[in-house]
Amino acid sequence: ASIAIKWVVDEDGTPAALGVTAIRVAPNPVLTTNRWTYLTLRVPGEEAPHNIRWTYGKNFGPIILRVREISDGAVKTLWVEQAQPSPAIDLAQIRNPDIWQQIRNFIWVGYVHILPLGFDHILFIIGVYFMAATLRRIVTLVTTFTIAHSLTLYLGVKSLVVLPAAFVEAGIALSIAIVGVEILRKAGSKTFAIKVATVFVFGLFHGLGFAGVLAESGLKEGQILVPLVAFNVGVELGQLTVIAAAHLLMAYALRGRATAVRYATVSAGVLLTVSGVVLSVTRIL
Protein backbone atom coordinates (compact mmCIF):
# COMPACT_ATOMS: atom_id res chain seq x y z
CA ALA A 1 0.00 0.00 0.00
CA SER A 2 1.27 3.47 -0.86
CA ILE A 3 1.53 6.18 1.77
CA ALA A 4 0.82 9.78 0.88
CA ILE A 5 3.51 11.83 2.60
CA LYS A 6 3.90 15.57 2.29
CA TRP A 7 6.36 17.80 4.05
CA VAL A 8 5.83 21.56 3.82
CA VAL A 9 8.31 24.32 4.58
CA ASP A 10 6.63 26.44 7.23
CA GLU A 11 8.05 29.82 6.21
CA ASP A 12 6.34 30.17 2.82
CA GLY A 13 4.27 26.99 2.47
CA THR A 14 6.36 25.65 -0.40
CA PRO A 15 6.52 21.83 -0.52
CA ALA A 16 10.00 20.57 0.26
CA ALA A 17 11.38 18.03 -2.18
CA LEU A 18 12.29 15.43 0.41
CA GLY A 19 13.78 12.12 -0.63
CA VAL A 20 13.15 8.86 1.24
CA THR A 21 16.50 7.26 2.05
CA ALA A 22 15.27 4.39 4.22
CA ILE A 23 12.06 2.72 5.42
CA ARG A 24 12.02 0.27 8.33
CA VAL A 25 8.97 -1.48 9.75
CA ALA A 26 9.68 -2.80 13.24
CA PRO A 27 8.65 -6.45 13.80
CA ASN A 28 5.81 -6.93 16.26
CA PRO A 29 4.28 -10.37 16.91
CA VAL A 30 1.38 -8.81 18.86
CA LEU A 31 -0.98 -7.83 16.07
CA THR A 32 -3.36 -5.96 18.39
CA THR A 33 -0.72 -3.36 19.29
CA ASN A 34 1.03 -0.65 17.27
CA ARG A 35 3.69 -1.52 14.72
CA TRP A 36 6.35 1.19 14.40
CA THR A 37 7.31 2.45 10.94
CA TYR A 38 10.51 4.50 10.60
CA LEU A 39 11.09 6.79 7.62
CA THR A 40 14.43 8.48 7.03
CA LEU A 41 14.10 11.52 4.77
CA ARG A 42 16.66 13.96 3.46
CA VAL A 43 16.37 17.46 1.99
CA PRO A 44 18.51 17.83 -1.15
CA GLY A 45 20.86 20.77 -1.24
CA GLU A 46 22.92 22.44 1.44
CA GLU A 47 20.22 24.32 3.35
CA ALA A 48 17.43 22.40 5.11
CA PRO A 49 14.12 24.05 6.10
CA HIS A 50 14.00 25.52 9.59
CA ASN A 51 10.34 24.68 10.18
CA ILE A 52 8.31 21.82 8.74
CA ARG A 53 4.81 20.37 8.92
CA TRP A 54 3.65 16.83 8.34
CA THR A 55 0.51 15.55 6.64
CA TYR A 56 -0.36 12.20 5.08
CA GLY A 57 -3.22 10.17 3.65
CA LYS A 58 -6.50 10.35 5.57
CA ASN A 59 -7.04 6.60 5.18
CA PHE A 60 -4.35 5.90 7.76
CA GLY A 61 -6.04 7.54 10.75
CA PRO A 62 -4.40 9.57 13.56
CA ILE A 63 -0.74 8.99 14.38
CA ILE A 64 1.96 9.69 16.91
CA LEU A 65 4.63 11.56 14.93
CA ARG A 66 8.20 11.43 16.18
CA VAL A 67 10.84 13.52 14.45
CA ARG A 68 14.35 12.39 15.37
CA GLU A 69 17.50 14.46 14.93
CA ILE A 70 20.00 11.94 13.55
CA SER A 71 23.23 13.41 14.92
CA ASP A 72 22.36 13.27 18.62
CA GLY A 73 19.08 11.33 18.76
CA ALA A 74 16.89 14.19 20.04
CA VAL A 75 13.20 13.58 19.35
CA LYS A 76 10.09 15.73 19.04
CA THR A 77 6.84 13.83 19.64
CA LEU A 78 3.44 15.03 18.43
CA TRP A 79 -0.11 13.67 18.22
CA VAL A 80 -1.50 14.33 14.72
CA GLU A 81 -5.20 13.92 14.01
CA GLN A 82 -6.39 12.06 10.93
CA ALA A 83 -5.47 13.86 7.68
CA GLN A 84 -4.64 17.07 9.61
CA PRO A 85 -1.32 18.92 9.23
CA SER A 86 0.91 18.85 12.26
CA PRO A 87 1.85 22.06 14.05
CA ALA A 88 5.01 23.71 12.75
CA ILE A 89 8.03 21.75 13.97
CA ASP A 90 11.04 23.92 14.73
CA LEU A 91 13.99 21.69 13.89
CA ALA A 92 16.32 23.77 16.06
CA GLN A 93 14.12 23.06 19.09
CA ILE A 94 14.46 19.32 18.56
CA ARG A 95 18.19 19.48 19.14
CA ASN A 96 18.11 22.06 21.92
CA PRO A 97 14.59 22.03 23.36
CA ASP A 98 13.40 24.63 25.82
CA ILE A 99 12.81 22.99 29.21
CA TRP A 100 9.17 24.11 29.40
CA GLN A 101 8.55 22.96 25.86
CA GLN A 102 10.03 19.58 26.76
CA ILE A 103 7.79 19.34 29.84
CA ARG A 104 4.67 20.21 27.82
CA ASN A 105 5.68 17.74 25.14
CA PHE A 106 6.10 14.77 27.49
CA ILE A 107 2.97 15.62 29.50
CA TRP A 108 1.03 15.53 26.25
CA VAL A 109 2.65 12.24 25.18
CA GLY A 110 1.69 10.67 28.53
CA TYR A 111 -1.87 11.96 28.35
CA VAL A 112 -2.37 10.80 24.77
CA HIS A 113 -1.07 7.36 25.67
CA ILE A 114 -4.09 7.04 27.95
CA LEU A 115 -6.62 9.04 25.92
CA PRO A 116 -7.31 8.04 23.23
CA LEU A 117 -4.59 5.47 22.49
CA GLY A 118 -4.47 3.32 25.63
CA PHE A 119 -7.74 1.41 25.36
CA ASP A 120 -6.39 -1.41 27.55
CA HIS A 121 -5.26 1.08 30.20
CA ILE A 122 -8.65 2.79 29.96
CA LEU A 123 -10.43 -0.53 30.60
CA PHE A 124 -8.20 -1.18 33.61
CA ILE A 125 -8.86 2.27 35.10
CA ILE A 126 -12.62 1.82 34.57
CA GLY A 127 -12.28 -1.47 36.41
CA VAL A 128 -10.46 0.27 39.27
CA TYR A 129 -13.35 2.72 39.49
CA PHE A 130 -15.96 -0.05 39.76
CA MET A 131 -13.87 -2.01 42.27
CA ALA A 132 -14.31 0.79 44.81
CA ALA A 133 -17.63 1.53 46.46
CA THR A 134 -16.62 4.88 47.97
CA LEU A 135 -14.54 7.90 47.02
CA ARG A 136 -11.99 7.03 49.70
CA ARG A 137 -11.50 3.57 48.22
CA ILE A 138 -11.23 5.02 44.71
CA VAL A 139 -8.42 7.28 45.93
CA THR A 140 -6.73 4.33 47.64
CA LEU A 141 -6.81 2.17 44.53
CA VAL A 142 -5.72 4.94 42.15
CA THR A 143 -2.85 5.87 44.49
CA THR A 144 -1.81 2.22 44.67
CA PHE A 145 -1.85 1.95 40.89
CA THR A 146 0.16 5.18 40.56
CA ILE A 147 2.85 3.98 42.97
CA ALA A 148 3.13 0.62 41.21
CA HIS A 149 3.32 1.87 37.64
CA SER A 150 5.64 4.74 38.59
CA LEU A 151 8.05 2.21 40.10
CA THR A 152 8.31 0.01 37.02
CA LEU A 153 8.16 3.03 34.70
CA TYR A 154 11.40 4.24 36.27
CA LEU A 155 12.98 0.77 36.37
CA GLY A 156 11.96 0.10 32.77
CA VAL A 157 13.29 3.40 31.43
CA LYS A 158 16.59 2.79 33.26
CA SER A 159 16.65 -0.75 31.77
CA LEU A 160 16.88 -2.21 35.28
CA VAL A 161 13.81 -4.37 34.56
CA VAL A 162 13.33 -5.56 31.00
CA LEU A 163 10.64 -8.04 29.96
CA PRO A 164 9.56 -9.13 26.47
CA ALA A 165 6.95 -6.74 25.07
CA ALA A 166 4.59 -9.62 24.27
CA PHE A 167 4.74 -10.79 27.90
CA VAL A 168 4.03 -7.28 29.20
CA GLU A 169 1.10 -6.76 26.81
CA ALA A 170 -0.38 -10.14 27.78
CA GLY A 171 0.00 -9.22 31.46
CA ILE A 172 -1.83 -5.92 30.90
CA ALA A 173 -4.66 -7.77 29.15
CA LEU A 174 -4.82 -10.31 31.98
CA SER A 175 -5.03 -7.46 34.49
CA ILE A 176 -8.30 -6.35 32.88
CA ALA A 177 -9.80 -9.83 33.28
CA ILE A 178 -8.67 -10.14 36.92
CA VAL A 179 -10.07 -6.71 37.76
CA GLY A 180 -13.36 -7.78 36.19
CA VAL A 181 -13.44 -10.84 38.45
CA GLU A 182 -12.64 -8.72 41.50
CA ILE A 183 -15.54 -6.40 40.68
CA LEU A 184 -17.88 -9.39 40.87
CA ARG A 185 -16.60 -10.53 44.27
CA LYS A 186 -18.66 -9.71 47.36
CA ALA A 187 -17.55 -6.59 49.22
CA GLY A 188 -15.70 -6.85 52.52
CA SER A 189 -12.59 -5.58 54.27
CA LYS A 190 -10.51 -8.63 53.33
CA THR A 191 -11.80 -8.50 49.77
CA PHE A 192 -10.78 -4.86 49.43
CA ALA A 193 -7.27 -5.69 50.69
CA ILE A 194 -7.07 -8.28 47.91
CA LYS A 195 -8.21 -5.66 45.43
CA VAL A 196 -5.47 -3.28 46.57
CA ALA A 197 -2.88 -6.03 46.14
CA THR A 198 -4.29 -6.90 42.71
CA VAL A 199 -4.11 -3.30 41.52
CA PHE A 200 -0.53 -2.99 42.78
CA VAL A 201 0.70 -6.19 41.10
CA PHE A 202 -0.85 -5.42 37.74
CA GLY A 203 0.13 -1.77 38.02
CA LEU A 204 3.70 -3.06 37.71
CA PHE A 205 2.88 -4.47 34.27
CA HIS A 206 1.23 -1.23 33.16
CA GLY A 207 4.33 0.68 34.24
CA LEU A 208 6.52 -1.48 31.99
CA GLY A 209 4.09 -0.77 29.15
CA PHE A 210 4.43 2.97 29.82
CA ALA A 211 8.22 2.59 29.91
CA GLY A 212 8.23 1.17 26.40
CA VAL A 213 6.29 4.15 25.09
CA LEU A 214 8.47 6.66 26.95
CA ALA A 215 11.66 5.03 25.68
CA GLU A 216 10.36 5.44 22.10
CA SER A 217 9.65 9.13 22.74
CA GLY A 218 13.23 10.29 22.58
CA LEU A 219 14.94 10.02 25.96
CA LYS A 220 18.59 11.01 25.98
CA GLU A 221 21.14 9.52 28.35
CA GLY A 222 21.56 11.77 31.38
CA GLN A 223 18.35 13.66 30.64
CA ILE A 224 15.75 11.25 31.97
CA LEU A 225 14.29 12.90 35.08
CA VAL A 226 12.32 15.74 33.44
CA PRO A 227 10.76 13.59 30.68
CA LEU A 228 10.02 10.82 33.19
CA VAL A 229 8.19 13.11 35.62
CA ALA A 230 6.37 15.01 32.86
CA PHE A 231 5.27 11.81 31.13
CA ASN A 232 4.00 10.40 34.41
CA VAL A 233 2.05 13.61 35.07
CA GLY A 234 0.42 13.21 31.66
CA VAL A 235 -0.48 9.60 32.46
CA GLU A 236 -2.02 10.63 35.79
CA LEU A 237 -4.05 13.38 34.11
CA GLY A 238 -5.31 10.83 31.60
CA GLN A 239 -6.28 8.45 34.39
CA LEU A 240 -8.08 11.17 36.32
CA THR A 241 -9.98 12.12 33.16
CA VAL A 242 -11.18 8.52 32.80
CA ILE A 243 -12.18 8.34 36.49
CA ALA A 244 -13.99 11.70 36.32
CA ALA A 245 -15.84 10.72 33.14
CA ALA A 246 -16.93 7.40 34.65
CA HIS A 247 -18.08 9.09 37.86
CA LEU A 248 -20.03 11.80 36.05
CA LEU A 249 -21.65 9.24 33.78
CA MET A 250 -22.68 7.08 36.73
CA ALA A 251 -23.93 10.07 38.70
CA TYR A 252 -25.98 11.41 35.79
CA ALA A 253 -27.31 8.18 34.33
CA LEU A 254 -28.03 6.25 37.54
CA ARG A 255 -28.61 9.11 40.01
CA GLY A 256 -27.64 6.94 42.96
CA ARG A 257 -30.39 4.33 42.47
CA ALA A 258 -29.10 1.24 44.27
CA THR A 259 -30.53 -1.32 41.84
CA ALA A 260 -29.20 0.52 38.81
CA VAL A 261 -25.76 0.91 40.41
CA ARG A 262 -25.56 -2.82 41.18
CA TYR A 263 -26.64 -3.68 37.64
CA ALA A 264 -24.04 -1.34 36.13
CA THR A 265 -21.32 -2.73 38.41
CA VAL A 266 -22.08 -6.36 37.55
CA SER A 267 -22.29 -5.50 33.84
CA ALA A 268 -18.91 -3.76 34.01
CA GLY A 269 -17.39 -6.76 35.79
CA VAL A 270 -18.66 -9.19 33.17
CA LEU A 271 -17.61 -7.02 30.22
CA LEU A 272 -14.13 -6.41 31.62
CA THR A 273 -13.62 -10.10 32.41
CA VAL A 274 -14.62 -11.18 28.91
CA SER A 275 -12.63 -8.38 27.25
CA GLY A 276 -9.54 -9.18 29.30
CA VAL A 277 -9.71 -12.90 28.51
CA VAL A 278 -10.15 -12.24 24.78
CA LEU A 279 -7.25 -9.76 24.74
CA SER A 280 -5.03 -12.13 26.73
CA VAL A 281 -5.66 -15.01 24.35
CA THR A 282 -5.07 -12.92 21.22
CA ARG A 283 -1.86 -11.43 22.61
CA ILE A 284 -0.51 -14.79 23.73
CA LEU A 285 -1.31 -16.42 20.40
Side-chain angles (χ1 to χ4, degrees):
S2 62
I3 300 178
I5 304 173
K6 184 178 181 183
W7 290 74
V8 179
V9 181
D10 183 59
E11 293 175 352
D12 58 6
T14 304
L18 294 182
V20 178
T21 61
I23 299 177
R24 179 171 67 89
V25 180
N28 184 0
V30 184
L31 298 181
T32 57
T33 59
N34 294 331
R35 185 183 302 270
W36 300 108
T37 301
Y38 300 88
L39 303 176
T40 303
L41 305 114
R42 184 178 298 276
V43 181
E46 297 181 358
E47 186 174 357
H50 298 290
N51 298 282
I52 56 176
R53 296 180 187 270
W54 159 282
T55 62
Y56 79 151
K58 64 181 180 180
N59 294 331
F60 296 94
I63 63 166
I64 294 179
L65 173 65
R66 293 182 173 91
V67 182
R68 182 182 297 273
E69 210 287 328
I70 293 177
S71 64
D72 67 356
V75 173
K76 173 71 174 180
T77 305
L78 297 167
W79 169 254
V80 182
E81 293 290 346
Q82 182 173 351
Q84 297 297 313
S86 72
I89 302 171
D90 186 342
L91 298 183
Q93 284 295 325
I94 297 175
R95 183 175 298 182
N96 300 300
D98 174 80
I99 184 65
W100 294 111
Q101 182 187 52
Q102 188 180 33
I103 290 173
R104 291 193 300 269
N105 182 44
F106 278 99
I107 288 176
W108 181 241
V109 172
Y111 187 87
V112 167
H113 185 62
I114 300 296
L115 288 170
L117 298 181
F119 74 95
D120 45 3
H121 300 299
I122 292 173
L123 291 177
F124 185 82
I125 292 299
I126 290 174
V128 168
Y129 173 80
F130 279 101
M131 285 170 67
T134 64
L135 179 60
R136 181 177 180 180
R137 289 192 169 189
I138 292 174
V139 171
T140 299
L141 291 178
V142 171
T143 302
T144 299
F145 180 63
T146 297
I147 293 172
H149 78 64
S150 297
L151 175 62
T152 45
L153 173 60
Y154 174 79
L155 295 176
V157 167
K158 296 288 288 184
S159 299
L160 298 175
V161 175
V162 179
L163 295 176
F167 181 77
V168 173
E169 293 296 329
I172 292 173
L174 181 62
S175 73
I176 298 169
I178 298 299
V179 163
V181 172
E182 288 299 324
I183 291 173
L184 300 174
R185 289 166 61 93
K186 293 182 178 180
S189 58
K190 292 184 178 179
T191 302
F192 185 70
I194 293 174
K195 291 178 178 179
V196 172
T198 300
V199 168
F200 181 84
V201 170
F202 284 111
L204 300 175
F205 282 91
H206 286 256
L208 291 175
F210 295 148
V213 173
L214 184 55
E216 287 286 346
S217 297
L219 291 177
K220 297 169 65 176
E221 188 64 32
Q223 299 180 12
I224 292 177
L225 182 60
V226 170
L228 182 67
V229 173
F231 178 86
N232 210 29
V233 169
V235 168
E236 300 313 317
L237 292 175
Q239 292 176 180
L240 291 175
T241 302
V242 174
I243 291 290
H247 187 68
L248 290 174
L249 181 62
M250 289 284 288
Y252 176 78
L254 305 182
R255 295 178 176 86
R257 290 173 291 187
T259 302
V261 170
R262 283 196 299 270
Y263 179 79
T265 302
V266 172
S267 299
V270 172
L271 288 174
L272 290 172
T273 301
V274 173
S275 299
V277 170
V278 171
L279 279 175
S280 299
V281 171
T282 56
R283 291 181 177 183
I284 291 173
L285 299 179

